[in-house]
């Protein structure tokens, strides 16, 4: 058993002194030394409210999320999710999901 003063490893947290480290919810991540459930977040490609105890679920087919956190996954657009389309257009482009020609 780890000593009381040891920080928790990544993807775990402890919110009280002398407590054992607790794993973040399914598929969630946290930094080493996290001290609360709210430090657990969903990584890119997953959505959910891990900071409140919910699981992180993968984005559905045709959806993406390129940043961590609880935000919803976004639609890839008519041409699908590829790094080339994201590089050429960017998800914020006003014609995102339309044919670029």
């Amino acid at each position: 058993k780890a000593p009381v003063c040891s920080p928790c490893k990544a993807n775990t947290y402890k919110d009280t002194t002398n407590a054992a480290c607790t794993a973040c919810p399914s598929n969630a991540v946290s930094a080493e030394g996290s001290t609360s459930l709210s430090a657990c977040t969903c990584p890119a490609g997953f959505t959910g409210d891990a900071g409140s105890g919910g699981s992180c679920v993968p984005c559905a087919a045709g959806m993406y999320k390129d940043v961590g956190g609880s935000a919803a996954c976004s639609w890839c657009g008519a041409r699908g999710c590829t790094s080339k389309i994201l590089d050429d257009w960017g998800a914020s482009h006003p014609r995102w999901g339309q044919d670029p020609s």
Side-chain angles (χ1 to χ4, degrees):
K1 185 174 178 176
V4 172
C5 295
S6 296
C8 291
K9 294 181 179 181
N11 308 326
T12 65
Y13 70 95
K14 64 177 169 184
D15 54 8
T16 58
T17 305
N18 298 330
C21 296
T22 302
C24 286
S26 180
N27 297 316
V29 296
S30 69
E32 181 178 340
S34 293
T35 58
S36 69
L37 173 61
S38 63
C40 299
T41 61
C42 296
F46 289 79
T47 188
D49 192 7
S52 294
S55 296
C56 298
V57 294
C59 292
M63 306 288 282
Y64 78 100
K65 186 175 137 222
D66 56 3
V67 296
S70 61
C73 298
S74 299
W75 181 58
C76 292
R79 300 199 50 197
C81 291
T82 69
S83 58
K84 172 147 180 39
I85 290 172
L86 291 174
D87 290 344
D88 290 350
W89 284 89
S92 63
H93 191 283
R95 288 186 58 197
W96 175 247
Q98 299 178 20
D99 189 336
S101 54

